[in-house]
Amino acid sequence: MSTSSSFTRLRELLPQLFQEPEFQGNPYLRFSLNAQLSALILMEKVKESLSVSAEKITPIPSLPSFVMGLMSSRDSVFLVVDLAQLIGLSPLSTYLRQYNVIVLDLSSFLDSSQNLLVGFAVNRIQGVNRFLPEQIAGGVNLNESLITKHLPKNSKEYFSSQCQGKDGELMILELSKIFRTLKH
């Protein structure tokens, strides 16, 4: 049974639960790229999130430095990418014993019927937040001071929008741009 149909079925069975304000809006996985910057990915794009032992990621020589290596989960093998380094931030420490990995399915971006997975290694996975569409400011309305303060200038293109969370502003990743970067 797919995640969306399970969610729909739960919503039908427990409608009162979904009328609470904290259960309204689209779910986003929240994670930190570094100590100053948290970001979001729409949950419908996330296959799973994992805490992985560093030994489970097999390095591959002659690939860009942001590619950490290969790993497997649930009978699938996929690349793990240091997301912060990919978008121009400081890389994760190579001395960590555990990595937090967000596994995404690329097939919808690549028009493929196969499950094509990629893992994004991030600083920390912080949970799920929900936002209504009207809470999200798109493209041209991005807060320039946040981007200038915490991101290199060329990293702005990797974020499509922002929203106001309980702890401050959150950026939403532009997955299609990241996947285009990975293809090259």
Side-chain angles (χ1 to χ4, degrees):
M1 185 180 275
S2 75
T3 306
S4 62
S5 62
S6 299
F7 181 75
T8 304
R9 181 75 178 134
L10 220 123
R11 195 175 213 152
E12 290 169 1
L13 293 171
L14 302 167
Q16 71 282 3
L17 178 68
F18 293 92
Q19 292 174 2
E20 299 296 322
E22 64 268 14
F23 292 107
Q24 293 179 355
N26 296 320
Y28 289 85
L29 183 66
R30 180 179 177 171
F31 58 93
S32 64
L33 290 163
N34 58 32
Q36 299 84 20
L37 185 65
S38 289
L40 301 167
I41 295 176
L42 192 59
M43 278 297 292
E44 70 184 29
K45 305 295 183 191
V46 176
K47 184 159 176 86
E48 64 182 320
S49 60
L50 309 162
S51 182
V52 178
S53 169
E55 297 134 12
K56 300 277 184 183
I57 301 173
T58 305
I60 303 173
S62 304
L63 287 179
S65 60
F66 60 78
V67 177
M68 297 173 68
L70 285 174
M71 70 168 279
S72 66
S73 176
R74 299 183 188 213
D75 298 327
S76 297
V77 177
F78 51 89
L79 280 178
V80 177
V81 173
D82 181 340
L83 182 59
Q85 186 176 8
L86 173 68
I87 66 171
L89 299 173
S90 297
L92 292 169
S93 172
T94 56
Y95 299 109
L96 294 175
R97 292 184 182 171
Q98 294 280 118
Y99 289 101
N100 295 300
V101 178
I102 302 167
V103 181
L104 302 167
D105 189 348
L106 300 176
S107 55
S108 63
F109 294 96
L110 302 174
D111 298 324
S112 174
S113 60
Q114 300 177 15
N115 279 352
L116 300 170
L117 305 177
V118 67
F120 288 156
V122 298
N123 187 40
R124 191 165 56 108
I125 296 172
Q126 299 170 315
V128 176
N129 293 106
R130 292 182 172 274
F131 296 98
L132 295 167
E134 57 269 13
Q135 293 176 291
I136 297 171
V140 293
N141 297 327
L142 289 174
N143 182 341
E144 291 297 322
S145 65
L146 179 68
I147 292 168
T148 304
K149 188 174 179 182
H150 298 293
L151 290 175
K153 198 170 193 168
N154 62 342
S155 297
K156 178 182 174 182
E157 65 187 295
Y158 293 107
F159 296 95
S160 61
S161 48
Q162 75 176 26
C163 55
Q164 186 65 38
K166 292 177 184 173
D167 302 328
E169 295 161 323
L170 300 167
M171 307 299 290
I172 299 174
L173 275 180
E174 176 60 53
L175 293 175
S176 60
K177 173 62 178 166
I178 290 172
F179 294 144
R180 280 194 301 273
T181 301
L182 288 174
K183 279 176 58 176
H184 296 114

